[in-house]
Structures are given as structure tokens and as C-alpha cells.
Amino acid sequence: MTSSHTDCHFCLQSLRGRKYALREENAYCVPCYDSLYANPCEECKQPIECNSKDLAYKGRHWHEGCFRCAKCSRSLVEKPFAAKDEVLLCTECYSDEYSSRCFHCQKTIMPGSRKMEFKGSCWHESCFVCQYCRQPLGTKPLITKDNENYCVPCFEKQFAHHCYACKKVITSGGVTYHDQPWHKECFVCAGCKTQLSGQRFISKDEYPYCVDCFSRFYAKKCAACKKPITALGGAKYVSFEERQWHGECFKCAKCSVSLVGQEFLTGQDDIFCHDCGSA
């Protein structure tokens, strides 16, 4: 440029008819300005002269022709780029080197795009969907089965067990009885409605009963002690002519010797060992 400035502020040579540069209202000839103020190029280390375009990024400077991807050497002028350890890369090279790959489509998740992370893996936002309804999961509650993700309604529809009693979904825990799932709170005695989960019970006509109710409604009574014979836990009992006895109650009415596995005689409602019955 030319102007009314007459002399270079540094070398004092005349600027008449010559190009010069201004800095803080002082005029410099081009050689003086370049030697005093030109920034060194990060790439070629040569000064960026005042008649060249100076591209700056985070306090560093490049010639226009030197502002390139460090890997593929394509120009980054007016193009998106990323920096890694002070090295400039185009978005494609940065993605190849450092970006995550989508767990679903295995394609690179480009810088700047939204990334979903779950259980140590990454997805494109558009790939992170329910396996059944294909709707985006985003930050909604989800359930994983066989490495596939489902929204809660779809998982319940496809896989969740429904309680045999109330027909509602069993979300956790539960009890299996006759190959049918039950909520713990729904698995109750058919007689008194007491919860049976973790308790001993007896099955009758496909319905569960607590020991007390089963004994009261169905168990046969011991001919000796008149208490119910439940056979719970594998207890032994003896049956003879439509009468039943607990194993420990099946004994001689006179001498009280056990008659289990022994010969015995009957007399009216009592039973006797062979010696007592013969006498």
C-alpha cells in the first residue's frame, strides 16, 4: 500500500512509491515489518510475510498452504478439523484414529455427533433403539436381553412372566408353582390366604395350602392321637382297614411296644402286640 507516510519507522528509508505495513500507527517497509513482526509458520517454520494470509488457531500460526491435515495432508482451510495432542487432523482422519465405533452398525461416531454410551459400548443416537419397536431409547429405562436392548413396555410384552393369579407382569423375583409364575404376594394359601413364599406348604387339586389349613381340611387323623397325618417332610405312617396311624403312634395299646413291621392283633378300636393280644 502507499500513503502519506514518508519514512520506515525502523530503517528510516523513504516509503515513497513503496508498499508498507502499519502497526500501532507506525509505518514499516515490508522487509522490516516481516523481520520484526511476522509469525513463524507451525508447519514450515518460515515467517508468514505480510503479503501472505496468516491462519491462526489457539495462538499458533500457519501459511494458508501449510494449514493441512497431519495425516492425509488435505487442506483444512475453511473446513472442519479437530486437534489431538496439538496435531491438526481433518474430521475423517480424526474419526479413524480416535473416534468410537457404533456397537450396532460398526461405523465411526463422528466428532460433534451425539453419542450414547451403555455398559461400556457406544451407539449413534439413531442406532440406540428398542430392538422390538425401533423407537429411540435415549435416556429412557431399558432392559437388555441377549445383547439386545428393549424399552420396558416391549420387554414386558415379549419376555416378562405374568402372574398366574393376578395376570400382571412380574418385574422381579416371583415364585414358580406347577410350572406357573406367581408374584410372591399372590402366592397364598388357598384356605387362609397367608403368603406361602419361603414357607412349607402342601398341594391339593393344584392349589397350595399352608400346613394348618391342609391338616384341617384334608389330612386324615391318626387313630391313636387323633392329630392330622400330613406326611410332611417324609414322615412315615401306617394304614390298616381304613385307619391310619403316625409311625410313632402305631404301638401296642397295652405294653406300648412299636408294632411297625411287626405282627399285631386287633381288638375293637385297639391294636396289640402278639403277646398282649394272645393273653
Side-chain angles (χ1 to χ4, degrees):
M1 84 176 49
T2 59
S3 76
S4 60
H5 290 85
T6 58
D7 298 321
C8 172
H9 184 71
F10 184 73
C11 69
L12 303 180
Q13 292 186 19
S14 174
L15 295 177
R16 294 183 182 278
R18 299 173 63 189
K19 291 183 178 180
Y20 68 93
L22 289 173
R23 184 180 178 88
E24 298 177 354
E25 298 185 358
N26 296 317
Y28 297 85
C29 65
V30 171
C32 286
Y33 183 88
D34 287 342
S35 65
L36 292 172
Y37 301 115
N39 295 307
C41 175
E42 286 285 329
E43 178 65 22
C44 69
K45 311 305 179 185
Q46 298 300 312
I48 304 173
E49 299 171 341
C50 65
N51 59 354
S52 300
K53 184 178 288 187
D54 185 335
L55 300 180
Y57 174 72
K58 290 189 175 181
R60 297 185 294 158
H61 301 264
W62 288 264
H63 289 104
E64 184 176 16
C66 295
F67 196 60
R68 300 173 296 188
C69 172
K71 184 176 182 181
C72 69
S73 298
R74 286 183 290 185
S75 174
L76 298 177
V77 177
E78 297 183 356
K79 293 181 179 178
F81 63 89
K84 179 70 174 178
D85 300 328
E86 298 188 354
V87 174
L88 302 185
L89 298 167
C90 64
T91 54
E92 290 82 358
C93 289
Y94 182 89
S95 298
D96 290 342
E97 289 290 328
Y98 303 109
S99 292
S100 304
R101 292 191 177 274
C102 177
F103 183 82
H104 176 72
C105 69
Q106 294 302 307
K107 293 182 180 179
T108 299
I109 301 175
M110 300 296 288
S113 61
R114 191 173 183 187
K115 178 174 66 174
M116 310 302 297
E117 296 185 21
F118 179 65
K119 290 187 175 181
S121 298
C122 302
W123 282 263
H124 292 109
E125 185 177 20
S126 58
C127 292
F128 194 59
V129 298
C130 170
Q131 179 67 17
Y132 184 73
C133 69
R134 312 307 299 176
Q135 294 300 307
L137 290 169
T139 57
K140 298 177 184 177
L142 61 91
I143 300 174
T144 300
K145 179 178 173 62
D146 299 331
N147 289 327
E148 299 290 356
N149 300 319
Y150 298 84
C151 64
V152 174
C154 286
F155 182 86
E156 291 180 350
K157 184 185 300 182
Q158 294 298 306
F159 303 109
H161 295 297
H162 290 74
C163 176
Y164 182 78
C166 70
K167 311 305 179 186
K168 294 180 180 179
V169 171
I170 300 174
T171 56
S172 63
V175 175
T176 299
Y177 172 67
H178 281 186
D179 296 325
Q180 297 292 344
W182 304 60
H183 288 113
K184 288 184 178 180
E185 59 271 21
C186 293
F187 189 61
V188 298
C189 172
C192 66
K193 307 304 179 184
T194 301
Q195 287 192 21
L196 296 176
S197 178
Q199 307 298 319
R200 295 192 299 178
F201 65 90
I202 302 172
S203 177
K204 174 68 175 177
D205 299 330
E206 298 187 358
Y207 291 98
Y209 291 85
C210 66
V211 175
D212 289 342
C213 286
F214 182 84
S215 299
R216 184 164 58 250
F217 297 143
Y218 299 109
K220 297 181 182 299
K221 303 297 188 295
C222 175
C225 70
K226 310 305 179 184
K227 294 180 179 179
I229 299 174
T230 63
L232 193 64
K236 294 181 178 180
Y237 70 97
V238 177
S239 179
F240 176 71
E241 292 183 350
E242 299 185 355
R243 290 188 293 170
Q244 289 80 30
W245 292 261
H246 292 109
E248 62 272 19
C249 293
F250 192 64
K251 54 191 177 181
C252 176
K254 188 173 182 179
C255 70
S256 299
V257 68
S258 174
L259 298 178
V260 177
Q262 306 296 321
E263 292 183 357
F264 63 91
L265 299 174
T266 62
Q268 296 181 352
D269 294 332
D270 295 322
I271 54 174
F272 300 93
C273 64
H274 188 269
D275 292 341
C276 291
S278 299

